[in-house]
Amino acid sequence: MKRKLRVRQAQTVLPFGVGAVLDIQGESFVAAGIETWPRLKTPVSSERLAARLGVKGFFAAPHTLNDRYDQPDRPGVPYVRFPGWLFCGACRTMVRFLYEREKPGEPPVCTSCAAAPRLTPMRFVRICPDGHLDDVDWWYWAHSKLAPEVRASCSEAKHAWKARRLSFRVADRASGLEALSVRCSATRQDGKPCGAERDLLDILGPQGGRCSGRNPWQRWHENASCGQQVHVVQRTAGNVYYPVVHSALDIPQSAEPPWAEQDAAQAVLGHPYWTILLDALGTSRADTFRGLIKEDTGACDSLIDQLVAEATGSPAPPAGRPGPEEIDLSRDEWYAFDAAHLPEPTKEFAIRRGGLGLKGETEEPWATLDAHIGGVVLVDRLREVRALAGFRRYSPGGTLVPADTSGRLRWLPATEVYGEGIVLALDEQRLTAWENDPRVQAHVRGVRTDLDASFRGEQLAETVGSDLSPRFLLLHTLAHLLIRQLSFDSGYTTASLRERIYGRPEYGQRGLLVYTAAGDAEGTLGGLVRQGEAPHLAETLIRMLEAAAWCSADPLCAEHTGQGFGNLNRAACHACTLLPETSCQTGNTLLDRALVVGSAHVPGYFTDVLTASREYAAATALGGTP
Ligand SMILES: [Zn+2]
Ligand SMILES: [Zn+2]
Ligand SMILES: [Zn+2]
Ligand SMILES: [Zn+2]
Ligand SMILES: [Zn+2]
């Protein structure tokens, strides 16, 4: 029977999007750039996301029964065999499996063994910080300990990249990488056997040799000249692939914030330099005044262009809309959730006001909890478009390789998903008071310093804002704790829930969205929304706070002054706070339980609630009336 290898459509953005290396039924492939995608594909609309990313639109991979692992010109997303070096587990022969040898529907097999066993992909690959990926030069590795002239005398030296006489040996006496070696059994020019061999003890890490400057689906001539250091890693290692995914929720047009633009326009027109700018137009002084106005009002260039056009009666500039970097997706989304009049439900966006159901409650800890929560919005239906902009390798700070390696296309691969969710907003007054506490400010200043020092600051700015605020850290940690608790209470896996943090004070943000988005246009089952209804949510929150006060890695975790990537986490580890990567907007960084439940050094936003809960529990345990 022919083997069928398939990747689901939703997986073609994450986790198996362009550049990803995937293991499937014992074979290994890499997802090729979108320039190799078939012509027949499904458009996915998201105007806001397209404007933000500066592309014309999005396409999803076509539905298909079999992806193009080894068959060109077929529907489905193309995956290219990688690594190209395979070996036979029986006779240990190494084979550079060339594209010409691919047989549709059949895995590569060993032609030296009578039983024709399947070949296994080599475990090691080469990556560089510019995002390139290639096979290890195994011929060179086997000969790397020899003097250059001896090496050159091997008869395979001229076509080393597809050398035919290599074997991947395993010794019984040693263990680990030392037990593995690559050996050459070619002959030398003088007729003697080559016999070059080197074990893999030192293979991992930085290696000599030039980077090929390309990814496996690119042709030889499509390489970039790359001067980066190459690193050998296992092909399944986490640093082989860091996808860069952007996503946007559909919100109704009516829900987009008119005020922000209008306020900025008013501020520009009322600025003392405005008329001076108009007089100075066309001179070099105009730029100075424009700069000053921008600085004072925060207006963007396109808005000023538009106002100048209106004032001078000249035709409006072609870019009547803001440039990509000026579009902030989170601002619009929060505006919709926080609106005084919630937008009318549409097929893509249906929300209604919920609550903890605790109004007028005097009993503790409920009364104190209620005072800390500013509002609940239930999201019965949402549509999210996720687009893959590209990927990085070696480190999250590596060079971005665009999804279109040809650089000619104006679209990105994307998927649309439907789902449901819960929006939780904190009480603005209490939040501001807590943020103004000097201990909170000092605590967050430390994290901000670490963020500036890490190379992730710029990448995270889209989510975090230009200046990390205490409320972002608080809301982000809260979202993680809530997802963990919801999954504990309701049977959702943590991987099926996601977060969106609205923690930028400059936009009046003070909330978070926990949602599940895996459904099609029919939507999901409403299970998560039910968890957000009274009385479940209040009970979930209290249980969450109790759980968050303690971690099995305490006191180590609680007292940490910097753990996780770039030391960007404080009291937060796998045992208490972290989530699967796909659930988190910031790659599991910028988390700290202390800001939620408090510590010896810093008050938590919910410390009072926790205290009230414990007093109540103690009082009832003693049999008294609380
Ligand atoms: Zn064999
Ligand atoms: Zn040799
Ligand atoms: Zn490179
Ligand atoms: Zn912990
Ligand atoms: Zn997160």
Side-chain angles (χ1 to χ4, degrees):
M1 204 180 87
K2 298 225 166 189
R3 64 109 157 78
K4 271 205 168 78
L5 302 173
R6 234 199 110 199
V7 170
R8 283 188 293 118
Q9 188 195 39
Q11 296 177 311
T12 57
V13 165
L14 259 185
F16 303 137
V18 177
V21 176
L22 66 146
D23 263 48
I24 183 164
Q25 293 175 35
E27 295 178 67
S28 179
F29 299 90
V30 62
I34 55 171
E35 66 273 17
T36 63
W37 276 31
R39 212 162 292 191
L40 253 181
K41 42 194 181 287
T42 321
V44 175
S45 71
S46 178
E47 270 182 44
R48 291 168 63 239
L49 191 59
R52 173 68 184 83
L53 299 179
V55 294
K56 284 212 156 70
F58 305 101
F59 287 100
H63 284 287
T64 160
L65 290 173
N66 199 350
D67 279 292
R68 287 160 52 194
Y69 292 94
D70 41 26
Q71 310 174 56
D73 311 322
R74 290 288 204 83
V77 173
Y79 291 86
V80 173
R81 185 173 305 287
F82 179 81
W85 276 108
L86 313 171
F87 72 95
C88 171
C91 70
R92 310 302 296 186
T93 302
M94 286 176 70
V95 180
R96 176 78 193 218
F97 204 81
L98 301 178
Y99 186 73
E100 301 86 82
R101 289 184 60 184
E102 297 283 1
K103 290 203 185 96
E106 284 173 31
V109 294
C110 180
T111 49
S112 308
C113 290
R118 285 171 69 153
L119 294 170
T120 308
M122 292 297 283
R123 209 200 304 166
F124 304 93
V125 300
R126 255 170 36 163
I127 56 175
C128 93
D130 273 358
H132 303 127
L133 170 70
D134 203 354
D135 273 278
V136 173
D137 185 342
W138 291 114
W139 179 87
Y140 183 83
W141 181 262
H143 298 75
S144 53
K145 291 291 190 197
L146 303 177
E149 62 279 8
V150 185
R151 190 186 308 145
S153 75
C154 173
S155 60
E156 296 284 284
K158 293 213 164 51
H159 46 262
W161 68 279
K162 53 170 186 178
R164 288 157 306 183
R165 306 295 302 273
L166 296 179
S167 55
F168 185 44
R169 301 168 35 114
V170 50
D172 319 324
R173 45 189 161 72
S175 63
L177 293 178
E178 210 178 344
L180 302 171
S181 66
V182 175
R183 181 187 164 88
C184 175
S185 53
T187 44
R188 287 200 200 135
Q189 277 153 8
D190 58 9
K192 293 192 179 129
C194 174
E197 181 165 6
R198 183 174 174 187
D199 69 38
L200 303 194
L201 183 61
D202 301 321
I203 191 135
L204 290 173
Q207 296 292 351
R210 288 252 311 266
C211 175
S212 65
R214 49 192 274 278
N215 268 285
W217 62 89
Q218 293 180 286
R219 289 175 225 277
W220 292 107
H221 68 269
E222 289 176 321
N223 70 323
S225 89
C226 178
Q228 293 278 9
Q229 167 92 60
V230 296
H231 299 257
V232 173
V233 297
Q234 307 220 28
R235 66 170 197 273
T236 50
N239 64 348
V240 168
Y241 187 60
Y242 297 97
V244 178
V245 173
H246 297 270
S247 90
L249 303 181
D250 279 6
I251 53 169
Q253 287 279 318
S254 61
E256 282 172 24
W259 47 269
E261 292 273 282
Q262 267 172 24
D263 285 358
Q266 287 307 323
V268 172
L269 296 173
H271 196 279
Y273 288 153
W274 173 244
T275 48
I276 304 177
L277 168 68
L278 290 180
D279 287 342
L281 283 175
T283 73
S284 57
R285 284 159 53 233
D287 286 343
T288 315
F289 293 123
R290 176 188 272 257
L292 290 167
I293 293 173
K294 272 172 66 178
E295 218 175 280
D296 289 349
T297 62
C300 57
D301 272 317
S302 60
L303 176 64
I304 296 182
D305 286 345
Q306 199 184 328
L307 294 172
V308 167
E310 279 167 21
T312 57
S314 58
R321 49 176 67 188
E325 67 290 347
E326 287 150 5
I327 297 170
D328 192 290
L329 299 170
S330 96
R331 187 191 69 177
D332 301 0
E333 289 171 13
W334 178 251
Y335 181 79
F337 290 131
D338 194 38
H341 299 284
L342 296 183
E344 288 294 311
T346 67
K347 284 207 304 295
E348 288 84 28
F349 193 76
I351 62 178
R352 64 193 151 97
R353 225 173 282 286
L356 295 182
L358 299 175
K359 284 288 160 270
E361 179 66 63
T362 52
E363 219 172 279
E364 292 298 351
W366 311 110
T368 308
L369 173 66
D370 196 41
H372 283 73
I373 301 298
V376 177
V377 170
L378 301 171
V379 185
D380 289 308
R381 192 162 53 245
L382 59 79
R383 174 180 177 268
E384 182 189 24
V385 171
R386 295 176 195 152
L388 180 73
F391 61 88
R392 305 172 201 274
R393 302 200 194 278
Y394 182 63
S395 92
T399 308
L400 177 78
V401 179
D404 161 32
T405 34
S406 76
R408 289 191 304 265
L409 304 172
R410 297 295 314 278
W411 58 275
L412 289 174
T415 53
E416 62 172 5
V417 278
Y418 288 79
E420 57 178 291
I422 305 167
V423 176
L424 186 67
L426 301 184
D427 182 73
E428 179 62 46
Q429 255 181 336
R430 272 178 195 269
L431 187 57
T432 311
W434 172 81
E435 274 186 314
N436 288 335
D437 188 303
R439 290 168 296 172
V440 172
Q441 295 199 340
H443 194 82
V444 172
R445 213 173 300 134
V447 185
R448 207 179 286 144
T449 309
D450 287 336
L451 180 59
D452 290 341
S454 80
F455 37 78
R456 296 219 61 194
E458 215 170 294
Q459 289 169 31
L460 292 177
E462 192 180 348
T463 312
V464 174
S466 48
D467 212 11
L468 177 69
S469 65
R471 70 177 63 192
F472 183 89
L473 280 172
L474 166 65
L475 288 161
H476 185 213
T477 313
L478 192 59
H480 277 232
L481 298 172
L482 185 58
I483 286 176
R484 289 170 70 107
Q485 192 63 44
L486 281 168
S487 108
F488 194 79
D489 287 357
S490 67
Y492 279 95
T493 61
T494 47
S496 67
L497 298 174
R498 287 166 183 255
E499 68 181 5
R500 282 176 108 78
I501 310 304
Y502 304 100
R504 301 174 61 170
E506 68 269 32
Y507 297 144
Q509 297 180 349
R510 57 195 158 85
L512 60 91
L513 166 67
V514 168
Y515 66 109
T516 171
D520 54 15
E522 299 298 310
T524 43
L525 295 169
L528 184 59
V529 165
R530 262 194 301 285
Q531 290 296 316
E533 286 173 342
H536 306 300
L537 185 58
E539 289 164 2
T540 300
L541 287 170
I542 292 292
R543 277 196 295 270
M544 175 203 79
L545 292 174
E546 301 276 4
W550 186 80
C551 164
S552 61
D554 279 345
L556 211 63
C557 175
E559 287 162 12
H560 236 294
T561 52
Q563 54 181 328
F565 184 85
N567 292 329
L568 294 179
N569 290 332
R570 295 295 183 263
C573 72
H574 279 287
C576 60
T577 313
L578 269 50
L579 291 177
E581 288 279 317
T582 48
S583 301
C584 179
Q585 277 186 299
T586 66
N588 272 323
T589 60
L590 303 174
L591 295 161
D592 186 0
R593 281 183 295 134
L595 296 178
V596 179
V597 294
S599 75
H601 313 288
V602 65
Y605 178 79
F606 286 102
T607 300
D608 292 350
V609 183
L610 198 58
T611 310
S613 173
R614 282 174 177 166
E615 279 167 3
Y616 174 81
T620 42
L622 292 172
T625 16

